[in-house]
PDB file of all heavy atoms in Angstrom:
ATOM      1  N   PRO A  67     124.266  73.621 101.613  1.00  0.00           N
ATOM      2  CA  PRO A  67     123.774  74.209 100.357  1.00  0.00           C
ATOM      3  C   PRO A  67     124.505  73.726  99.111  1.00  0.00           C
ATOM      4  O   PRO A  67     123.903  73.618  98.050  1.00  0.00           O
ATOM      5  CB  PRO A  67     123.956  75.717 100.577  1.00  0.00           C
ATOM      6  CG  PRO A  67     124.874  75.864 101.732  1.00  0.00           C
ATOM      7  CD  PRO A  67     124.684  74.652 102.583  1.00  0.00           C
ATOM      8  N   ARG A  73     122.456  68.568  93.680  1.00  0.00           N
ATOM      9  CA  ARG A  73     121.279  67.737  93.384  1.00  0.00           C
ATOM     10  C   ARG A  73     120.303  68.471  92.463  1.00  0.00           C
ATOM     11  O   ARG A  73     119.685  67.857  91.572  1.00  0.00           O
ATOM     12  CB  ARG A  73     120.589  67.326  94.683  1.00  0.00           C
ATOM     13  CG  ARG A  73     121.409  66.370  95.535  1.00  0.00           C
ATOM     14  CD  ARG A  73     120.836  66.241  96.932  1.00  0.00           C
ATOM     15  NE  ARG A  73     119.497  65.643  96.931  1.00  0.00           N
ATOM     16  CZ  ARG A  73     118.720  65.592  98.021  1.00  0.00           C
ATOM     17  NH1 ARG A  73     119.148  66.123  99.183  1.00  0.00           N
ATOM     18  NH2 ARG A  73     117.531  65.023  97.946  1.00  0.00           N
ATOM     19  N   ASN A  77     119.248  67.512  88.235  1.00  0.00           N
ATOM     20  CA  ASN A  77     117.868  67.237  87.820  1.00  0.00           C
ATOM     21  C   ASN A  77     117.250  68.354  86.978  1.00  0.00           C
ATOM     22  O   ASN A  77     116.053  68.323  86.695  1.00  0.00           O
ATOM     23  CB  ASN A  77     117.003  66.999  89.061  1.00  0.00           C
ATOM     24  CG  ASN A  77     117.297  65.666  89.722  1.00  0.00           C
ATOM     25  OD1 ASN A  77     116.793  64.633  89.315  1.00  0.00           O
ATOM     26  ND2 ASN A  77     118.151  65.703  90.745  1.00  0.00           N
ATOM     27  N   PRO A  93     129.157  79.492  98.548  1.00  0.00           N
ATOM     28  CA  PRO A  93     128.621  78.453  99.431  1.00  0.00           C
ATOM     29  C   PRO A  93     127.500  77.627  98.820  1.00  0.00           C
ATOM     30  O   PRO A  93     127.103  76.616  99.370  1.00  0.00           O
ATOM     31  CB  PRO A  93     128.093  79.262 100.620  1.00  0.00           C
ATOM     32  CG  PRO A  93     127.754  80.597 100.043  1.00  0.00           C
ATOM     33  CD  PRO A  93     128.782  80.854  98.992  1.00  0.00           C
ATOM     34  N   VAL A 112     109.075  92.400  72.147  1.00  0.00           N
ATOM     35  CA  VAL A 112     108.876  93.836  72.379  1.00  0.00           C
ATOM     36  C   VAL A 112     108.376  94.512  71.112  1.00  0.00           C
ATOM     37  O   VAL A 112     107.434  95.327  71.152  1.00  0.00           O
ATOM     38  CB  VAL A 112     110.183  94.498  72.855  1.00  0.00           C
ATOM     39  CG1 VAL A 112     109.992  96.006  72.998  1.00  0.00           C
ATOM     40  CG2 VAL A 112     110.636  93.904  74.181  1.00  0.00           C
ATOM     41  N   HIS A 124      96.182  90.199  84.994  1.00  0.00           N
ATOM     42  CA  HIS A 124      96.271  89.718  86.375  1.00  0.00           C
ATOM     43  C   HIS A 124      95.286  88.577  86.568  1.00  0.00           C
ATOM     44  O   HIS A 124      94.149  88.641  86.097  1.00  0.00           O
ATOM     45  CB  HIS A 124      95.971  90.858  87.349  1.00  0.00           C
ATOM     46  CG  HIS A 124      96.470  90.622  88.737  1.00  0.00           C
ATOM     47  ND1 HIS A 124      95.845  89.759  89.609  1.00  0.00           N
ATOM     48  CD2 HIS A 124      97.527  91.132  89.410  1.00  0.00           C
ATOM     49  CE1 HIS A 124      96.494  89.748  90.757  1.00  0.00           C
ATOM     50  NE2 HIS A 124      97.522  90.574  90.662  1.00  0.00           N
ATOM     51  N   LYS A 129      89.547  95.794  91.723  1.00  0.00           N
ATOM     52  CA  LYS A 129      88.922  97.082  91.449  1.00  0.00           C
ATOM     53  C   LYS A 129      89.401  98.033  92.549  1.00  0.00           C
ATOM     54  O   LYS A 129      89.017  97.876  93.710  1.00  0.00           O
ATOM     55  CB  LYS A 129      87.397  96.949  91.447  1.00  0.00           C
ATOM     56  CG  LYS A 129      86.667  98.223  91.034  1.00  0.00           C
ATOM     57  CD  LYS A 129      85.156  98.008  91.051  1.00  0.00           C
ATOM     58  CE  LYS A 129      84.439  99.309  90.673  1.00  0.00           C
ATOM     59  NZ  LYS A 129      82.961  99.155  90.779  1.00  0.00           N
ATOM     60  N   ASN A 167      91.960  97.337  87.733  1.00  0.00           N
ATOM     61  CA  ASN A 167      90.993  98.350  87.305  1.00  0.00           C
ATOM     62  C   ASN A 167      91.057  99.500  88.300  1.00  0.00           C
ATOM     63  O   ASN A 167      90.580  99.383  89.423  1.00  0.00           O
ATOM     64  CB  ASN A 167      89.589  97.729  87.272  1.00  0.00           C
ATOM     65  CG  ASN A 167      88.531  98.705  86.802  1.00  0.00           C
ATOM     66  OD1 ASN A 167      88.809  99.866  86.520  1.00  0.00           O
ATOM     67  ND2 ASN A 167      87.297  98.240  86.723  1.00  0.00           N
ATOM     68  N   THR A 222      80.807 141.763  88.484  1.00  0.00           N
ATOM     69  CA  THR A 222      79.954 140.694  87.953  1.00  0.00           C
ATOM     70  C   THR A 222      78.784 140.327  88.861  1.00  0.00           C
ATOM     71  O   THR A 222      77.775 139.807  88.396  1.00  0.00           O
ATOM     72  CB  THR A 222      80.792 139.427  87.706  1.00  0.00           C
ATOM     73  OG1 THR A 222      81.390 139.006  88.940  1.00  0.00           O
ATOM     74  CG2 THR A 222      81.891 139.700  86.684  1.00  0.00           C
ATOM     75  N   GLU A 246      88.643 128.371  93.239  1.00  0.00           N
ATOM     76  CA  GLU A 246      89.861 127.683  93.672  1.00  0.00           C
ATOM     77  C   GLU A 246      90.018 126.332  92.973  1.00  0.00           C
ATOM     78  O   GLU A 246      91.125 125.946  92.597  1.00  0.00           O
ATOM     79  CB  GLU A 246      89.859 127.493  95.192  1.00  0.00           C
ATOM     80  CG  GLU A 246      89.937 128.783  96.004  1.00  0.00           C
ATOM     81  CD  GLU A 246      91.267 129.500  95.858  1.00  0.00           C
ATOM     82  OE1 GLU A 246      92.230 128.893  95.327  1.00  0.00           O
ATOM     83  OE2 GLU A 246      91.357 130.673  96.262  1.00  0.00           O
ATOM     84  N   GLU A 267      82.492 116.908  99.408  1.00  0.00           N
ATOM     85  CA  GLU A 267      82.032 116.619 100.762  1.00  0.00           C
ATOM     86  C   GLU A 267      80.577 117.042 100.939  1.00  0.00           C
ATOM     87  O   GLU A 267      79.792 116.342 101.598  1.00  0.00           O
ATOM     88  CB  GLU A 267      82.912 117.354 101.785  1.00  0.00           C
ATOM     89  CG  GLU A 267      82.510 117.090 103.228  1.00  0.00           C
ATOM     90  CD  GLU A 267      83.357 117.842 104.237  1.00  0.00           C
ATOM     91  OE1 GLU A 267      84.399 118.418 103.842  1.00  0.00           O
ATOM     92  OE2 GLU A 267      82.968 117.868 105.427  1.00  0.00           O
ATOM     93  N   LEU A 282      74.162 103.643 111.099  1.00  0.00           N
ATOM     94  CA  LEU A 282      74.680 102.279 111.029  1.00  0.00           C
ATOM     95  C   LEU A 282      75.638 102.014 112.192  1.00  0.00           C
ATOM     96  O   LEU A 282      75.572 100.944 112.822  1.00  0.00           O
ATOM     97  CB  LEU A 282      75.397 102.054 109.696  1.00  0.00           C
ATOM     98  CG  LEU A 282      76.059 100.678 109.524  1.00  0.00           C
ATOM     99  CD1 LEU A 282      75.011  99.567 109.605  1.00  0.00           C
ATOM    100  CD2 LEU A 282      76.816 100.597 108.200  1.00  0.00           C
ATOM    101  N   PHE A 303      88.665  98.471 117.962  1.00  0.00           N
ATOM    102  CA  PHE A 303      89.236  98.058 116.677  1.00  0.00           C
ATOM    103  C   PHE A 303      90.690  98.516 116.524  1.00  0.00           C
ATOM    104  O   PHE A 303      91.168  98.731 115.410  1.00  0.00           O
ATOM    105  CB  PHE A 303      88.383  98.616 115.530  1.00  0.00           C
ATOM    106  CG  PHE A 303      86.940  98.207 115.613  1.00  0.00           C
ATOM    107  CD1 PHE A 303      85.993  99.066 116.173  1.00  0.00           C
ATOM    108  CD2 PHE A 303      86.526  96.962 115.176  1.00  0.00           C
ATOM    109  CE1 PHE A 303      84.660  98.692 116.266  1.00  0.00           C
ATOM    110  CE2 PHE A 303      85.195  96.581 115.260  1.00  0.00           C
ATOM    111  CZ  PHE A 303      84.254  97.445 115.815  1.00  0.00           C
ATOM    112  N   PHE A 329      82.552 105.079 103.767  1.00  0.00           N
ATOM    113  CA  PHE A 329      81.387 104.187 103.657  1.00  0.00           C
ATOM    114  C   PHE A 329      80.839 104.243 102.229  1.00  0.00           C
ATOM    115  O   PHE A 329      80.497 103.218 101.628  1.00  0.00           O
ATOM    116  CB  PHE A 329      80.330 104.611 104.675  1.00  0.00           C
ATOM    117  CG  PHE A 329      79.161 103.673 104.780  1.00  0.00           C
ATOM    118  CD1 PHE A 329      79.334 102.296 104.794  1.00  0.00           C
ATOM    119  CD2 PHE A 329      77.870 104.178 104.883  1.00  0.00           C
ATOM    120  CE1 PHE A 329      78.244 101.435 104.893  1.00  0.00           C
ATOM    121  CE2 PHE A 329      76.777 103.323 104.992  1.00  0.00           C
ATOM    122  CZ  PHE A 329      76.966 101.952 104.996  1.00  0.00           C
ATOM    123  N   ARG A 353      92.501 105.498 113.472  1.00  0.00           N
ATOM    124  CA  ARG A 353      91.086 105.811 113.737  1.00  0.00           C
ATOM    125  C   ARG A 353      90.224 105.606 112.484  1.00  0.00           C
ATOM    126  O   ARG A 353      89.065 105.198 112.583  1.00  0.00           O
ATOM    127  CB  ARG A 353      90.946 107.225 114.294  1.00  0.00           C
ATOM    128  CG  ARG A 353      91.107 108.363 113.324  1.00  0.00           C
ATOM    129  CD  ARG A 353      91.184 109.712 113.987  1.00  0.00           C
ATOM    130  NE  ARG A 353      92.462 109.892 114.683  1.00  0.00           N
ATOM    131  CZ  ARG A 353      92.898 111.053 115.156  1.00  0.00           C
ATOM    132  NH1 ARG A 353      92.135 112.133 115.041  1.00  0.00           N
ATOM    133  NH2 ARG A 353      94.054 111.158 115.758  1.00  0.00           N
ATOM    134  N   ALA A 359      86.273  99.248 110.147  1.00  0.00           N
ATOM    135  CA  ALA A 359      85.919  97.994 110.818  1.00  0.00           C
ATOM    136  C   ALA A 359      84.588  98.128 111.548  1.00  0.00           C
ATOM    137  O   ALA A 359      83.764  97.199 111.546  1.00  0.00           O
ATOM    138  CB  ALA A 359      87.019  97.596 111.796  1.00  0.00           C
ATOM    139  N   GLU A 369      93.884 100.954 102.600  1.00  0.00           N
ATOM    140  CA  GLU A 369      95.353 101.029 102.661  1.00  0.00           C
ATOM    141  C   GLU A 369      95.741 102.496 102.616  1.00  0.00           C
ATOM    142  O   GLU A 369      95.349 103.227 101.695  1.00  0.00           O
ATOM    143  CB  GLU A 369      95.921 100.274 101.468  1.00  0.00           C
ATOM    144  CG  GLU A 369      97.421 100.289 101.356  1.00  0.00           C
ATOM    145  CD  GLU A 369      97.889  99.590 100.088  1.00  0.00           C
ATOM    146  OE1 GLU A 369      97.193  98.639  99.637  1.00  0.00           O
ATOM    147  OE2 GLU A 369      98.919  99.999  99.542  1.00  0.00           O
ATOM    148  N   GLN A 371      98.845 105.255 102.666  1.00  0.00           N
ATOM    149  CA  GLN A 371     100.270 105.550 102.557  1.00  0.00           C
ATOM    150  C   GLN A 371     100.502 106.981 103.017  1.00  0.00           C
ATOM    151  O   GLN A 371      99.808 107.908 102.578  1.00  0.00           O
ATOM    152  CB  GLN A 371     100.758 105.395 101.109  1.00  0.00           C
ATOM    153  CG  GLN A 371     100.831 103.956 100.650  1.00  0.00           C
ATOM    154  CD  GLN A 371     101.967 103.725  99.661  1.00  0.00           C
ATOM    155  OE1 GLN A 371     102.972 104.423  99.665  1.00  0.00           O
ATOM    156  NE2 GLN A 371     101.807 102.725  98.818  1.00  0.00           N
ATOM    157  N   SER A 450     117.846 109.049  67.259  1.00  0.00           N
ATOM    158  CA  SER A 450     118.797 109.634  66.313  1.00  0.00           C
ATOM    159  C   SER A 450     119.455 108.551  65.456  1.00  0.00           C
ATOM    160  O   SER A 450     119.597 108.706  64.238  1.00  0.00           O
ATOM    161  CB  SER A 450     119.863 110.416  67.088  1.00  0.00           C
ATOM    162  OG  SER A 450     120.855 110.909  66.215  1.00  0.00           O
ATOM    163  N   ASN A 459     118.603 104.367  54.164  1.00  0.00           N
ATOM    164  CA  ASN A 459     117.772 103.324  53.555  1.00  0.00           C
ATOM    165  C   ASN A 459     118.109 101.918  54.066  1.00  0.00           C
ATOM    166  O   ASN A 459     118.083 100.935  53.305  1.00  0.00           O
ATOM    167  CB  ASN A 459     117.895 103.357  52.024  1.00  0.00           C
ATOM    168  CG  ASN A 459     117.357 104.643  51.436  1.00  0.00           C
ATOM    169  OD1 ASN A 459     116.293 105.114  51.844  1.00  0.00           O
ATOM    170  ND2 ASN A 459     118.101 105.222  50.504  1.00  0.00           N
ATOM    171  N   ILE A 471     123.894  88.480  67.860  1.00  0.00           N
ATOM    172  CA  ILE A 471     124.136  89.368  69.003  1.00  0.00           C
ATOM    173  C   ILE A 471     124.893  88.583  70.064  1.00  0.00           C
ATOM    174  O   ILE A 471     124.349  87.671  70.694  1.00  0.00           O
ATOM    175  CB  ILE A 471     122.810  89.908  69.585  1.00  0.00           C
ATOM    176  CG1 ILE A 471     122.083  90.761  68.541  1.00  0.00           C
ATOM    177  CG2 ILE A 471     123.060  90.709  70.846  1.00  0.00           C
ATOM    178  CD1 ILE A 471     120.733  91.284  68.991  1.00  0.00           C
ATOM    179  N   GLU A 472     126.144  88.945  70.264  1.00  0.00           N
ATOM    180  CA  GLU A 472     126.984  88.215  71.203  1.00  0.00           C
ATOM    181  C   GLU A 472     127.689  89.129  72.205  1.00  0.00           C
ATOM    182  O   GLU A 472     128.173  88.661  73.239  1.00  0.00           O
ATOM    183  CB  GLU A 472     128.046  87.409  70.445  1.00  0.00           C
ATOM    184  CG  GLU A 472     127.448  86.318  69.558  1.00  0.00           C
ATOM    185  CD  GLU A 472     128.516  85.574  68.787  1.00  0.00           C
ATOM    186  OE1 GLU A 472     129.652  86.089  68.704  1.00  0.00           O
ATOM    187  OE2 GLU A 472     128.213  84.467  68.274  1.00  0.00           O
ATOM    188  N   LYS A 481     118.753  91.581  78.955  1.00  0.00           N
ATOM    189  CA  LYS A 481     118.227  91.067  80.225  1.00  0.00           C
ATOM    190  C   LYS A 481     117.439  92.140  80.959  1.00  0.00           C
ATOM    191  O   LYS A 481     116.406  91.853  81.590  1.00  0.00           O
ATOM    192  CB  LYS A 481     119.379  90.555  81.100  1.00  0.00           C
ATOM    193  CG  LYS A 481     119.921  89.200  80.659  1.00  0.00           C
ATOM    194  CD  LYS A 481     121.016  88.700  81.572  1.00  0.00           C
ATOM    195  CE  LYS A 481     122.339  89.348  81.267  1.00  0.00           C
ATOM    196  NZ  LYS A 481     123.451  88.772  82.053  1.00  0.00           N
ATOM    197  N   ALA A 484     114.039  92.601  79.317  1.00  0.00           N
ATOM    198  CA  ALA A 484     113.150  91.493  79.677  1.00  0.00           C
ATOM    199  C   ALA A 484     112.544  91.657  81.063  1.00  0.00           C
ATOM    200  O   ALA A 484     111.505  91.062  81.372  1.00  0.00           O
ATOM    201  CB  ALA A 484     113.913  90.167  79.592  1.00  0.00           C
ATOM    202  N   ALA A 493     106.378  96.742  91.294  1.00  0.00           N
ATOM    203  CA  ALA A 493     106.068  98.106  91.734  1.00  0.00           C
ATOM    204  C   ALA A 493     104.598  98.231  92.121  1.00  0.00           C
ATOM    205  O   ALA A 493     104.247  98.938  93.071  1.00  0.00           O
ATOM    206  CB  ALA A 493     106.406  99.100  90.630  1.00  0.00           C
ATOM    207  N   SER A 538     115.717  99.353  68.900  1.00  0.00           N
ATOM    208  CA  SER A 538     114.284  99.656  68.714  1.00  0.00           C
ATOM    209  C   SER A 538     113.482  99.121  69.897  1.00  0.00           C
ATOM    210  O   SER A 538     112.560  99.784  70.393  1.00  0.00           O
ATOM    211  CB  SER A 538     113.771  99.042  67.411  1.00  0.00           C
ATOM    212  OG  SER A 538     114.381  99.623  66.289  1.00  0.00           O
TER     213      SER A 538
END
Side-chain angles (χ1 to χ4, degrees):
R73 292 167 64 189
N77 288 277
V112 176
H124 200 285
K129 186 180 178 184
N167 181 358
T222 59
E246 294 293 347
E267 181 181 349
L282 177 61
F303 304 97
F329 187 43
R353 75 190 72 168
E369 178 184 329
Q371 288 213 27
S450 176
N459 296 317
I471 297 177
E472 296 178 344
K481 284 182 280 186
S538 295

